[in-house]
Amino acid sequence: LVQFIGPVKPAWINAVKAAGAVLRHPTGGFGYVVCADAAALERIRALACVRWAGHLPHADRVAPAITGAAPAELPRRRSLAGALTVDVFDAAFLPRIAKEAEALGFSVVTIDKRAKRISLLAPGTAAQVRQQVQALSAVHGVRWIGERVLPRTNNNVAAGLIGQPFAARPAAPGLGLTGAGETVAVCDTGLDTGDPANIHPDFAGRVVAVKSYPITPYWTPWVLNPGGDDGVADLDSGHGTHVAGSVLGNGTASAAGPQRIQGTAPQAKLVFQAVEQQVRWRPGAAPPGNPRYLLAGIPDNLEPLFKFAYDQGARIHSNSWGGGEAGAYDDQCRQFDDFVWRRKDMCFVIAAGNDGSDADGDGAINPGSVTSPGTCKNGITEGACENQRTEFN
């Protein structure tokens, strides 16, 4: 771990490379993880731009939720029992690290070269798994070991709160913004019927493309229908239809009512990506609550998902889902940031989450409850408002 004396400059990175280091991964605190032998490390430490350099502790490569060092469980966060993810620094390391994981007693579920990730199944007690994880964290090339969390919908009780009194109004104090000429992608549960030719009237004639994403391979040990795909239709909660309406519903269905109900960009076009699938659990595998529908289509490698929307003309991408560790910057965040870094005309809007709570009772929501991917850097994270959630304070 190399810590620089300030915000990292390209010349400093080049100096570290010239000293003999292989760049691996940027970190917080003006830091960068590199691979270097002892001689290169001494040259790095001698650079005027470097404040400190030393070994990246193995303990810092394990999620606090696994070690037991994490704070109290967030109100809606759920993890898949026995499921772990291992992110590595270099895709070339994947076969070797997978083999060493198996030698430690893990079962390898999937290996994703593009995402540089291995999905594991960990049998045994929590104490046994912690010992296995501790050993795995010391394997050369392991960057991060985390739980496989259940991705979940956010923004799920906002229907009674959204309003659009100013954005589209042409005269002061309005802005005259209707979304005309823009294409917005929404990645969520599903969209109404799923058929653009027979869709809710608030979207009619403006759906550019739809795509459904099947259950990803890492769910295979837990479900009876691996690869299942029930299509684009919004079959369960209606969450995706609601979010799409929040984004660009034009109010056709309510035009005859006492109030026309519109989204914030009622003239924009829509690309919809459906990632919710019905899952049929293997006996004893279902998490608490036995959920029937999950966002099981979200892939480890997000690049194709983002690129599909981009290729359809979308330059705004809405993601009202999350569920990772509070405040953590994980590989999902990195992929959001990396896509925008390479395509600077793309804008991600991401839900902050539904886990904000007033734990100390002082009347203010406590910080630190935003979950991935809302903790990315190159996106706009949308905060939540207080409402009638009864499940927690």
Side-chain angles (χ1 to χ4, degrees):
L1 177 63
V2 178
Q3 185 187 34
F4 294 95
I5 58 176
V8 184
K9 299 178 180 180
W12 298 353
I13 291 290
N14 290 334
V16 169
K17 289 170 64 177
V22 178
L23 301 181
R24 288 303 189 203
H25 191 73
T27 68
F30 311 142
Y32 219 107
V33 177
V34 306
C35 182
D37 60 23
L41 184 58
E42 288 306 311
R43 291 192 291 268
I44 291 169
R45 286 173 174 156
L47 295 173
C49 59
V50 171
R51 173 178 286 125
W52 181 89
H55 183 256
L56 177 66
H58 298 143
D60 288 356
R61 311 179 197 208
V62 181
I66 298 176
T67 62
E73 183 85 349
L74 292 175
R76 300 183 68 239
R77 184 182 186 275
R78 297 291 183 271
S79 57
L80 197 59
L84 299 174
T85 59
V86 181
D87 297 323
V88 305
F89 284 115
D90 191 316
F93 298 159
L94 287 168
R96 174 178 53 79
I97 294 175
K99 184 176 293 186
E100 298 211 34
E102 289 180 328
L104 289 169
F106 296 101
S107 297
V108 174
V109 180
T110 61
I111 299 176
D112 192 316
K113 187 176 181 179
R114 288 291 301 274
K116 294 187 284 189
R117 168 172 286 186
I118 304 170
S119 296
L120 300 177
L121 178 61
T125 65
Q128 290 171 331
V129 171
R130 280 196 294 269
Q131 288 183 340
Q132 290 173 304
V133 167
Q134 183 179 15
L136 185 60
S137 69
V139 173
H140 180 69
V142 170
R143 182 172 70 82
W144 181 253
I145 305 173
E147 292 183 310
R148 172 71 73 178
V149 299
L150 297 176
R152 60 164 192 266
T153 54
N154 290 329
N155 191 39
N156 64 329
V157 296
L161 299 166
I162 191 166
Q164 192 215 17
F166 302 116
R169 186 181 297 165
L175 300 173
L177 302 176
T178 63
E182 290 289 344
T183 300
V184 182
V186 175
C187 180
D188 213 287
T189 58
L191 179 68
D192 194 47
T193 64
D195 179 7
N198 179 30
I199 207 74
H200 190 286
D202 278 20
F203 311 119
R206 293 185 296 132
V207 181
V208 175
V210 296
K211 184 177 176 65
S212 179
Y213 292 80
I215 297 174
T216 56
Y218 60 71
W219 293 90
T220 300
W222 292 272
V223 302
L224 295 169
N225 60 330
D229 188 349
D230 51 32
V232 181
D234 205 359
L235 300 177
D236 184 38
S237 66
H239 186 274
T241 308
H242 154 55
V243 169
S246 299
V247 171
L248 48 73
N250 66 9
T252 297
S254 56
Q259 183 180 10
R260 189 181 182 106
I261 303 169
Q262 290 185 320
T264 52
Q267 292 183 28
K269 294 181 179 180
L270 174 65
V271 172
F272 198 93
Q273 297 174 280
V275 292
E276 183 175 75
Q277 300 293 345
Q278 180 179 1
V279 297
R280 294 190 291 114
W281 298 103
R282 293 182 183 275
N290 193 26
R292 181 181 171 195
Y293 288 88
L294 287 174
L295 303 182
I298 299 176
D300 276 340
N301 178 24
L302 297 172
E303 169 84 12
L305 185 144
F306 297 154
K307 192 173 185 302
F308 173 82
Y310 190 89
D311 289 346
Q312 301 300 318
R315 294 299 182 266
I316 300 169
H317 197 281
S318 172
N319 305 272
S320 290
W321 42 266
E325 289 192 51
Y329 184 92
D330 60 13
D331 192 67
Q332 211 171 59
C333 295
R334 181 194 61 78
Q335 293 188 65
F336 272 80
D337 286 340
D338 181 66
F339 193 89
V340 176
W341 184 255
R342 291 180 287 109
R343 297 174 179 84
K344 293 181 171 59
D345 56 347
M346 179 64 115
C347 176
F348 288 116
V349 287
I350 307 165
N354 295 328
D355 284 306
S357 59
D358 181 14
D360 54 13
D362 66 353
I365 298 299
N366 299 109
S369 60
V370 178
T371 56
S372 170
T375 43
C376 75
K377 297 178 290 184
N378 295 342
I380 298 173
T381 301
E382 301 185 28
C385 55
E386 294 198 44
N387 48 50
Q388 294 73 41
R389 290 187 181 278
T390 59
E391 66 265 35
F392 58 93
N393 180 13

